[in-house]
């Protein structure tokens, strides 16, 4: 096992580890990979903090990954969206004196001596700091004991890397203030730069042939595809396809994809020609990315009245449910909650059944977010293959969120929970893996209106000791995404009134 230094972009720090482990597992080395933070104790001895148990004041751009081969490091850099570069780590320390001492141990010498006769270039940089004039040369000269022979700035065979990591300091100061007071200095060899970040530009929504006001931004849709472990031979489904953002990225990584939505107009877009299916909105953009042949189909239906007749079909379900900031979730049903739909078709002009007309839109009512979340998880448990993944965004009111908000479901295990914070509200990318080995116990969900049923139950029962707090109020955990649309817009209107 060799140690590699992974350099991350300064964004979405809570997404890093789930993406890294997802791609490592996809390529078969997740069980051997070890990830730690590059910490040193005050006495210079090495720490062993993991990403889970270490919470620095500000997100750090580096992690150390132990891998079996350089090829594995290249796989991570070529697929992980958040990785800027990967280096073979030869030494790191809280000071240069200790760094040079460690770099001259037999273990480190065995790593860098094979490159002594290779033309080299050395890149010296710092995080959250600017070098004063002249000190870069001093740093380079301090490695003179390595006796590297040939410098080549234009065509080096090896690029050496030295980087000082400083704490993020806020406020006005001289750009070189605190020079030398770094947390760690790292030294090693560049293995590869991260190439996957270029895909953010490729899938930029503004450059897309077809998009809408709810289209997922490129970086997030790519992260979702990675969380879903999209790849050749995988079958992936988006039950809230909209304008297809998750379909394109999953298909780009080699998966076959299927999309559905309660509103087919979003998937179709403006049809240029009724006889030309390539003019459909999603197909236009898929053709732009060269993945139209991987779009199996897109169909219009409500997942609460879905056509699936068996489970265990999909390798992943990747979706962004409409949670109400720009478009609220809907389901087929009467606007009067609890009232069943009529079995008698509604007849319109000339005795024609309304549902046979191309312009027909079925009666719909709001789909409460907490109901949708639990339904989606139960639906995924039924539709996924063993080991398959459900990846979806969960909106939440920041100050009200708790870990209990992600519903527990037998046979399903949460393996990722990353936050994209917008202040008073946030959305969390939840990744849940199906651990159930077969479909004997997985039943198709009933898609009950739980919120309505609970209100009816409360109205018709007497309080008992088991459901009453000491203050006389009924005990029930209310997730932060319950009635999210109302909470969000109430807060937004209150902010507007406060400003005015």
């Amino acid at each position: 096992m060799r140690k590699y230094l992974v350099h991350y972009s300064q964004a979405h720090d809570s997404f890093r580890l789930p993406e890294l482990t997802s791609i490592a597992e996809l390529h078969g080395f997740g069980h051997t990979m070890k990830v730690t933070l590059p910490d040193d104790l005050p006495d210079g001895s090495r720490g062993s903090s993991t990403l889970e148990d270490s919470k620095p004041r500000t997100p750090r751009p580096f992690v150390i990954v132990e891998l079996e081969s350089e090829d594995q490091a290249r796989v991570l850099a070529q697929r992980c969206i958040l990785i800027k570069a990967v280096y073979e780590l030869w030494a790191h320390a809280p000071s240069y004196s200790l760094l040079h001492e460690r770099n001259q141990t037999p273990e480190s010498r065995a790593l860098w001596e094979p490159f002594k006769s290779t033309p080299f270039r050395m890149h010296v940089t710092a995080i959250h700091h600017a070098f004063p004039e002249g000190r870069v040369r001093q740093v380079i000269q301090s490695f003179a004991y390595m006796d590297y022979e040939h410098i080549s700035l234009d065509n080096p065979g090896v690029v050496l890397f030295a980087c000082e990591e400083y704490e993020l300091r806020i406020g006005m100061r001289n750009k070189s203030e605190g020079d030398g007071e770094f947390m760690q200095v790292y030294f090693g060899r560049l293995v590869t730069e991260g190439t996957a970040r270029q895909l953010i530009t490729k899938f930029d929504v503004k450059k897309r042939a077809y998009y809408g006001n709810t289209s997922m931004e490129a970086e997030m849709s790519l992260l979702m595809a990675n969380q879903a472990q999209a790849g050749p031979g995988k079958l992936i489904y988006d039950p809230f396809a909209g304008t297809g953002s998750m379909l394109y990225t999953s298909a780009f990584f080699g998966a076959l994809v299927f999309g559905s939505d309660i509103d087919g107009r979003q998937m179709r877009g403006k049809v240029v020609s009724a006889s030309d299916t390539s003019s459909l909105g999603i197909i236009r953009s898929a053709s732009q990315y060269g993945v139209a042949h991987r779009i199996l189909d897109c169909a219009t239906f409500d997942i609460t009245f879905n056509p699936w007749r068996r489970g265990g079909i999909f390798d992943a379900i990747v979706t962004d449910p409409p949670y109400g900031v720009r478009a609220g979730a809907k389901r087929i049903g009467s606007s009067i909650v609890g009232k069943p739909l009529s079995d008698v078709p509604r007849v319109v002009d000339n005795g024609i059944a309304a549902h046979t007309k191309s312009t027909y839109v079925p009666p719909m009512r709001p789909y409460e977010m907490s109901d949708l979340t639990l339904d989606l998880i139960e639906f995924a448990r039924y539709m996924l293959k063993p080991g398959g993944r459900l990846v979806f965004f969960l909106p939440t009111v920041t100050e009200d969120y708790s870990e209990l908000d992600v519903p527990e479901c037998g046979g399903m295990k949460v393996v990722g929970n990353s936050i994209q914070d917008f202040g008073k509200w946030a959305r969390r990318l939840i990744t849940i893996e199906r651990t159930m080995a077969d479909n004997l116990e997985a039943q198709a969900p009933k898609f009950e209106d739980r919120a309505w049923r609970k209100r009816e139950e409360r109205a018709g029962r007497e309080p008992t000791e088991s459901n009453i707090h000491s203050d006389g109020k009924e005990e029930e955990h209310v997730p932060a995404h319950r009635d999210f649309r109302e909470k969000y817009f109430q807060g937004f209107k209150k902010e507007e009134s406060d400003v005015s």
Side-chain angles (χ1 to χ4, degrees), residues 346-419:
R346 185 166 65 89
V347 178
V348 292
D349 301 336
N350 301 321
I352 299 174
H355 70 273
T356 63
K357 301 189 70 174
S358 60
T359 57
Y360 174 74
V361 177
M364 299 182 192
R365 58 186 175 84
Y367 198 172
E368 210 290 308
M369 193 64 211
S370 58
D371 280 358
L372 186 156
T373 302
L374 187 53
D375 284 344
L376 180 61
I377 295 173
E378 291 182 348
F379 175 73
R381 179 177 63 177
Y382 178 65
M383 296 303 302
L384 289 173
K385 298 177 181 178
R389 289 186 163 196
L390 166 65
V391 182
F392 70 102
F393 266 115
L394 179 70
T396 183
V397 178
T398 304
E399 63 181 12
D400 296 337
Y401 172 78
S402 77
E403 292 185 2
L404 295 175
D405 287 357
V406 182
E408 292 186 357
C409 184
M412 300 287 281
K413 177 184 177 183
V414 177
V415 294
N417 185 341
S418 306
I419 183 172

Side-chain angles (χ1 to χ4, degrees), residues 34-53:
K34 182 180 178 182
V35 184
T36 58
L37 283 171
D39 287 331
D40 274 82
L41 301 175
D43 61 358
S45 59
R46 305 252 175 108
S48 60
S49 301
T50 65
L51 291 184
E52 295 93 335
D53 63 24

